Amino acid sequence: MYVHNLKEVKSASDLTFHFSEDQTNPTPRDSYNAQFTRLHEKLKSRECSKIILSRIKRVEHSIQPNELFQKLNETYTNTFNYVISNAEIGTWIGATPERLIHVNRDKIETMSLAGTKTEFDNWTKKEYDEQAFVTHQIHKELEKYCHNIQLDGPQTITAGPVQHLQTTIKAQLINPHDWSSLTQGLHPTPAVCGTPTDAARAFILKNEKHDRQFYTGFIGFVQKDTKSLFVNLRCLQFYEKYANLYVGGGIIIDSTQESEWIETERKANTLSALLKS
């Protein structure tokens, strides 16, 4: 079941939610610290310049999924908000700010989204470097399938309680039928995996202690002439008494353990604040 706008649903009775058996555990701080240390050693070896480290945060709640989804739509008007529920996967809810790709015939638009801070902080070289990694990787992939590539940014955009650096990227497909190959080439972006992609992915699969499931996958619409897909960030799996929130951050050589943990806390607050209110 997919609902993009709660106004399409006449009442809560129109929705049937499924709660699967929870086989995941939240990430303890000491486990996160140990993973960060191994990751940082990998970066020192220069095999990777950036790796995404994610974790699971568990938050108790006393609301219903449709209530949370309505709050998302009221609070976050510039994100892609969704709820999916079936007997096989349970209930997933998200509000993602990152477009993977939008296709309109031979015209495409994507974005480079990286770097996180609050409105009270200043951007540092670390965030600009992180953003540059993502932009460069996306540009390289676009060159395989597109021409007339145009970059606009980076600019500061707001996504709930945090801000990100975003570069908007537009291009024209040489062959409109290549949109699917381009999409597969763009995913996973450095913003959800790392740089270079293969080495970062291998490290994540070996060292992260949880299955990301749908977190950092992509979701959206595919129609004949238009396709609009988003990276599944700021998402959670909803259970009757609590929710498992999936959050992560891009680690580079200048990253510190404490600052990265704080960044994931800020990202988690996008959804956890609504679960508690």
Side-chain angles (χ1 to χ4, degrees):
M1 177 191 64
Y2 170 79
V3 182
H4 183 247
N5 189 329
L6 199 63
K7 293 179 181 178
E8 298 171 5
V9 181
K10 295 180 180 179
S11 71
S13 61
D14 294 330
L15 301 175
T16 300
F17 293 102
H18 303 266
F19 304 108
S20 60
E21 181 181 351
D22 187 8
Q23 297 180 339
T24 61
N25 294 306
T27 308
R29 179 65 186 269
D30 58 351
S31 177
Y32 178 89
N33 291 348
Q35 292 173 57
F36 181 95
T37 299
R38 289 193 294 272
L39 190 157
H40 213 248
E41 289 300 316
K42 183 77 169 180
L43 295 174
K44 289 179 182 178
S45 72
R46 304 297 178 181
E47 293 179 61
C48 295
S49 55
K50 174 184 176 181
I51 304 176
I52 306 303
L53 179 61
S54 72
R55 69 181 181 99
I56 298 173
K57 179 174 182 175
R58 181 167 294 173
V59 178
E60 296 181 354
H61 67 77
S62 58
I63 67 173
Q64 296 301 311
N66 58 310
E67 294 178 82
L68 174 59
F69 186 60
Q70 183 170 0
K71 288 181 179 181
L72 285 181
N73 287 334
E74 293 170 351
T75 307
Y76 305 128
T77 57
N78 61 345
T79 57
F80 180 80
N81 305 333
Y82 71 87
V83 54
I84 296 175
S85 187
N86 64 42
E88 182 178 354
I89 68 170
T91 297
W92 285 77
I93 301 174
T96 174
E98 183 171 356
R99 183 190 297 276
L100 178 64
I101 191 170
H102 177 77
V103 183
N104 184 1
R105 298 183 186 274
D106 65 339
K107 302 293 193 301
I108 71 101
E109 180 175 328
T110 183
M111 66 170 61
S112 164
L113 189 74
T116 303
K117 72 175 185 66
T118 70
E119 62 178 313
F120 308 107
D121 300 320
N122 295 318
W123 292 117
T124 67
K125 183 177 181 298
K126 183 262 185 187
E127 287 88 27
Y128 279 108
D129 286 348
E130 185 180 349
Q131 217 277 338
F133 286 143
V134 179
T135 302
H136 176 70
Q137 191 73 13
I138 291 174
H139 192 279
K140 281 177 55 181
E141 191 63 32
L142 290 178
E143 287 179 322
K144 300 176 185 178
Y145 302 98
C146 301
H147 54 190
N148 298 331
I149 302 171
Q150 302 172 35
L151 306 180
D152 182 16
Q155 300 170 336
T156 300
I157 62 112
T158 299
V162 296
Q163 295 181 330
H164 303 292
L165 288 171
Q166 175 183 303
T167 297
T168 300
I169 308 171
K170 297 181 179 180
Q172 186 173 5
L173 285 163
I174 298 169
N175 182 345
H177 296 292
D178 283 341
W179 75 268
S180 180
S181 297
L182 174 58
T183 300
Q184 295 296 329
L186 289 174
H187 185 268
T189 71
V192 299
C193 183
T195 308
T197 302
D198 290 343
R201 182 196 286 116
F203 181 90
I204 290 167
L205 292 173
K206 181 178 179 180
N207 289 276
E208 278 194 354
K209 302 303 181 184
H210 58 272
D211 183 347
R212 291 189 179 187
Q213 300 192 71
F214 298 112
Y215 172 65
T216 67
F218 57 84
I219 184 171
F221 301 102
V222 175
Q223 298 172 310
K224 181 179 178 180
D225 293 326
T226 61
K227 295 87 181 171
S228 195
L229 301 171
F230 295 79
V231 182
N232 191 28
L233 303 174
R234 313 294 187 276
C235 65
L236 59 81
Q237 187 166 15
F238 197 98
Y239 299 92
E240 291 186 89
K241 300 298 183 182
Y242 62 86
N244 287 336
L245 282 67
Y246 290 74
V247 288
I251 315 300
I252 62 174
I253 195 68
D254 295 331
S255 299
T256 65
Q257 194 176 96
E258 182 65 21
S259 65
E260 293 300 329
W261 178 267
I262 292 173
E263 178 176 322
T264 59
E265 285 290 295
R266 289 171 176 168
K267 290 176 177 177
N269 195 49
T270 302
L271 298 177
S272 64
L274 301 184
L275 284 166
K276 297 175 182 177
S277 62

